[in-house]
Amino acid sequence: MPSQRTLLSRSAPAASGMSSRSIAALLDRLEARSVECHSLMIVRHGHVVAEGWWAPYSAERPHLLYSLTKSFTSVAVGLAIADGLLSLDDRVVDVLPDHVPADIAEQGRRITVHHLLSMTAGHRTDSLAEAWRLEPGDLVKGFLRVPFTEAEGTRHTYDNSTTFVLARMVERVTGRGLPELLDERLFKPMGVEHAEWDRVASGAAFGFHGLHLTTEAVAAFGELLLRGGRWGDRRLVPREWVELATRRHIETLRFEDGSGDVDYLCGYGYQFWMSRHRYHGDGSFGQLCRFLEL
């Protein structure tokens, strides 16, 4: 596999105001808790101060990001909005009229980009499995057919289908596939050369999961957002969108089984989780990009 060019500069921890002992203590704690690490990269003031991979993972190997993919889809939505092609008030039924079921509920007609981004469409549980069962070849139509049990905008439910629908809306208004759009507007300007996407049978990127990136590319994405959407001397993402997407839009609840640590109870933004310190995007099985105020 071709090597990934360096995206971030390197620094000794002390030179960036971080204790090397604290990093060692973190590694000891992870080991003591038997956490199965694949990779770790710590960035402080724009410099990588610690990095490591556990075999068979390596710096050049892209990793499946699971739901961390959602935060990249959020950026694509922000780009479409900044280009004047989409708005938070745009309705699914207006942007994707060919995916509207004949028996759509009145609430389904009211679902907007805002509801999808904040995962407040009104499903009480993740609609993905039921949507696929109802419409195996059209997940947007399946999403709109799953009964809504809560008023839109009132309850957060972690719902993978919402992000899939957002991806299709972005593609419709931009005329570009989600991977192609993000390659052109985000990854290539940053120097990320190996973004890979898993796709559904139709060839469309999932949007809610399935992006593969190297650890450094994920860290660079985090640094981009901490810089307010600027990379070097270029603005890649509008600052207004970064601030809006990473702001609390709805309170979050414990999962159905009663689980959910304190960070997951700090609210939800636009495909970003809020946390005690700032915000983060995350995927299943620990693919995490956490942004901290230090």
Side-chain angles (χ1 to χ4, degrees), residues 140-211:
V140 175
K141 184 178 289 187
F143 167 79
L144 292 172
R145 287 187 60 195
V146 175
F148 297 95
T149 59
E150 312 289 333
E152 71 274 15
T154 63
R155 175 190 172 97
H156 174 264
T157 296
Y158 198 73
D159 193 346
N160 286 284
S161 300
T162 61
T163 324
F164 182 89
V165 178
L166 284 168
R168 306 292 77 81
M169 293 176 79
V170 167
E171 291 177 338
R172 180 61 58 87
V173 300
T174 64
R176 306 290 305 281
L178 182 69
E180 290 72 30
L181 176 68
L182 287 175
D183 268 347
E184 177 187 334
R185 301 285 294 275
L186 189 73
F187 294 134
K188 287 184 178 178
M190 291 177 66
V192 176
E193 300 169 339
H194 306 298
E196 303 169 7
W197 296 80
D198 292 341
R199 302 169 186 264
V200 297
S202 67
F206 283 95
F208 58 86
H209 106 127
L211 176 59

Side-chain angles (χ1 to χ4, degrees), residues 41-254:
M41 184 170 286
I42 300 173
V43 181
R44 170 76 162 160
H45 298 323
H47 301 284
V48 177
V49 297
E51 58 189 311
W53 289 261
W54 285 255
Y57 302 96
S58 64
E60 296 79 21
R61 177 176 174 174
H63 201 296
L64 174 58
L65 303 188
Y66 294 96
S67 285
L68 179 53
T69 304
K70 292 179 173 68
S71 297
F72 291 86
T73 300
S74 173
V75 167
V77 173
L79 294 175
I81 289 176
D83 290 346
L85 302 174
L86 197 63
S87 79
L88 293 173
D89 295 327
D90 281 347
R91 303 185 305 169
V92 178
V93 297
D94 295 326
V95 178
L96 301 172
D98 49 325
H99 294 273
V100 177
D103 59 347
I104 185 173
E106 189 57 38
Q107 181 165 328
R109 296 187 178 279
R110 298 195 298 266
I111 302 304
T112 65
V113 171
H114 164 76
H115 297 134
L116 298 173
L117 284 165
S118 58
M119 295 192 181
T120 58
H123 293 134
R124 192 170 185 84
T125 59
D126 186 1
S127 67
L128 183 62
E130 180 67 3
W132 249 324
R133 185 189 71 79
L134 292 171
E135 296 285 348
D138 190 340
L139 185 55
V140 175
K141 184 178 289 187
F143 167 79
L144 292 172
R145 287 187 60 195
V146 175
F148 297 95
T149 59
E150 312 289 333
E152 71 274 15
T154 63
R155 175 190 172 97
H156 174 264
T157 296
Y158 198 73
D159 193 346
N160 286 284
S161 300
T162 61
T163 324
F164 182 89
V165 178
L166 284 168
R168 306 292 77 81
M169 293 176 79
V170 167
E171 291 177 338
R172 180 61 58 87
V173 300
T174 64
R176 306 290 305 281
L178 182 69
E180 290 72 30
L181 176 68
L182 287 175
D183 268 347
E184 177 187 334
R185 301 285 294 275
L186 189 73
F187 294 134
K188 287 184 178 178
M190 291 177 66
V192 176
E193 300 169 339
H194 306 298
E196 303 169 7
W197 296 80
D198 292 341
R199 302 169 186 264
V200 297
S202 67
F206 283 95
F208 58 86
H209 106 127
L211 176 59
H212 299 246
L213 289 176
T214 63
T215 306
E216 186 165 1
V218 174
F221 177 67
E223 183 64 21
L224 170 75
L225 297 182
L226 285 176
R227 296 175 185 176
R230 293 193 67 88
W231 191 255
D233 59 355
R234 296 184 61 180
R235 174 159 299 285
L236 302 184
V237 184
R239 173 178 287 277
E240 295 78 10
W241 182 255
V242 174
E243 293 175 350
L244 186 63
T246 59
R247 179 187 306 163
R248 182 180 182 273
H249 291 282
I250 189 72
E251 68 175 329
T252 45
L253 307 172
R254 291 193 179 276

